[in-house]
Amino acid sequence: MKKIILLVFAIALSFSSCEKDDICDANTPTTPRLVITFYDYDNPSVLKTVTKLKVVGAGMTDGIIFNATATDDSKYLTSGSTISIPLKTNEDTTSYSFTLNYGNANTVFVNEDNIKFDYTRKEVFVSRACGFKTLFTLNTSNPYTHTDATVPDTKWIKYISVEKSNIENENETHIKIFF
């Protein structure tokens, strides 16, 4: 009888020392991206689709990958009414060039605008396995700077509206762009 109790105690003791695996679940929310939705400038309640939009960070040569399955330059292009782009987690500003109709043979239809987002950062502990994530708050006094490197009258983006200055998840639109 003592041997059985000792055996059960040894087995129970071996299980009590197990720890949860330190693997970050893929469904765990991490640092959110900035969600931008495009609207028709003439009819502000109507979503508008961008065509062959390429978004490139300042100082970068390659754009944000929107289509991971593509093997050519089309992986940097998107056509839709909503995009999600990352913000820098180690700086308080991020600049992008937004090129509409990228790669069009007729250069008259290719139009590039530059936008600089200004924000504050806050690191939040997620878990031991996942580490920290960064939450952003767009500065209310000047959340963005909209400039064009070429001719100011040719901007394709007509107006930008901040819908939600706190960027805590990717389930809602943070910025509306009207064109």
Side-chain angles (χ1 to χ4, degrees), residues 1-16:
M1 179 75 170
K2 288 183 181 182
K3 291 181 182 180
I4 294 174
I5 292 175
L6 190 56
L7 180 63
V8 170
F9 180 70
I11 292 172
L13 187 60
S14 69
F15 283 115
S16 69

Side-chain angles (χ1 to χ4, degrees), residues 12-70:
L13 187 60
S14 69
F15 283 115
S16 69
S17 65
C18 292
E19 289 185 27
K20 182 181 173 186
D21 287 339
D22 282 343
I23 299 173
C24 186
D25 183 13
N27 295 324
T28 303
T30 56
T31 299
R33 295 174 292 171
L34 177 69
V35 178
I36 300 173
T37 305
F38 298 95
Y39 285 86
D40 188 346
Y41 180 73
D42 295 324
N43 192 356
S45 62
V46 176
L47 287 172
K48 190 170 180 181
T49 301
V50 292
T51 53
K52 293 187 178 180
L53 177 69
K54 183 174 183 179
V55 181
V56 180
M60 305 296 289
T61 54
D62 293 333
I64 294 174
I65 297 175
F66 292 110
N67 184 3
T69 58

Side-chain angles (χ1 to χ4, degrees), residues 28-129:
T28 303
T30 56
T31 299
R33 295 174 292 171
L34 177 69
V35 178
I36 300 173
T37 305
F38 298 95
Y39 285 86
D40 188 346
Y41 180 73
D42 295 324
N43 192 356
S45 62
V46 176
L47 287 172
K48 190 170 180 181
T49 301
V50 292
T51 53
K52 293 187 178 180
L53 177 69
K54 183 174 183 179
V55 181
V56 180
M60 305 296 289
T61 54
D62 293 333
I64 294 174
I65 297 175
F66 292 110
N67 184 3
T69 58
T71 57
D72 57 0
D73 280 347
S74 67
K75 66 183 172 185
Y76 304 118
L77 303 179
T78 186
S79 294
S81 60
T82 300
I83 62 169
S84 297
I85 59 175
L87 296 175
K88 291 181 181 178
T89 59
N90 58 347
E91 293 182 27
D92 290 334
T93 62
T94 302
S95 297
Y96 284 105
S97 70
F98 288 71
T99 306
L100 189 65
N101 297 315
Y102 181 83
N104 192 317
N106 187 346
T107 57
V108 172
F109 295 115
V110 179
N111 200 326
E112 178 182 331
D113 280 358
N114 298 303
I115 302 176
K116 177 179 155 185
F117 299 100
D118 189 25
Y119 49 85
T120 58
R121 300 167 281 135
K122 178 181 166 187
E123 286 193 350
V124 176
F125 182 72
V126 176
S127 69
R128 194 171 90 184

